[in-house]
Amino acid sequence: MSGADLLRTSDSDREATVSLLRAAAAEGRLDTDELEDRVRDAYEARTQGDLAAVTADLPAPVAPPAPRTPVLRSERMRRRAAGFVTANAICIAVWAATGTDGSFWPGWVLLGTGIALIGPLVRAAFGVPEKRRDRSRRRARAHRRA
């Protein structure tokens, strides 16, 4: 027995072990009688070693996956939205400063940048992974060709 197994256990340690036992029973790893016995043993445990013995034949709990960042709050999407707003604000300002009597040519810029903004948003909403372009690989290929 190691020194850590001799450490006294706390109420929160016992509750965590009982939660693990209940999860194992919900998965079908323990029947009701065995669950009762192990829960009793967990509440009677005095040391970390006693608690470890109660769950020794059970697999380690699987950590839940990390929560995903909402698409609209990701840094990449905020950068794209900022680029969209900046480019279009500049084009509209130029159009307004040079006279608004002609056609609204910034509409073409709005269309192109809107597609560039909406495309990744739709891909992210449907869970399609974005392709990462490896710039160093492209540079190496260009250098080899030269």
Side-chain angles (χ1 to χ4, degrees):
M1 218 182 242
S2 72
D5 289 339
L6 298 176
L7 291 176
R8 301 288 285 195
T9 189
S10 68
D11 288 339
S12 63
D13 293 336
R14 290 184 193 96
E15 289 299 329
T17 301
V18 169
S19 294
L20 183 101
L21 291 169
R22 288 189 178 130
E27 294 171 350
R29 297 182 193 279
L30 301 173
D31 61 26
T32 9
D33 293 334
E34 193 173 14
L35 175 64
E36 277 183 37
D37 292 341
R38 289 185 186 214
V39 166
R40 184 189 66 245
D41 292 345
Y43 281 126
E44 292 174 355
R46 296 192 182 263
T47 65
Q48 294 291 326
D50 295 340
L51 281 181
V54 173
T55 60
D57 62 340
L58 297 175
V62 178
R68 287 180 28 172
T69 303
V71 174
L72 295 176
R73 293 193 178 152
S74 71
E75 183 176 342
R76 176 170 275 172
M77 198 52 70
R78 286 193 315 244
R79 286 183 182 184
R80 288 184 177 183
F84 172 82
V85 170
T86 303
N88 287 295
I90 290 170
C91 288
I92 292 171
V94 168
W95 173 76
T98 59
T100 59
D101 54 347
S103 68
F104 185 68
W105 60 263
W108 293 106
V109 178
L110 277 164
L111 178 66
T113 56
I115 291 170
L117 179 65
I118 297 296
L121 181 64
V122 170
R123 281 194 304 273
F126 284 110
V128 176
E130 190 169 338
K131 292 179 184 175
R132 293 240 170 190
R133 294 188 178 114
D134 190 357
R135 292 182 182 165
S136 61
R137 220 181 268 166
R138 281 189 283 154
R139 277 191 227 127
R141 274 191 231 134
H143 183 68
R144 278 184 284 188
R145 288 183 200 147

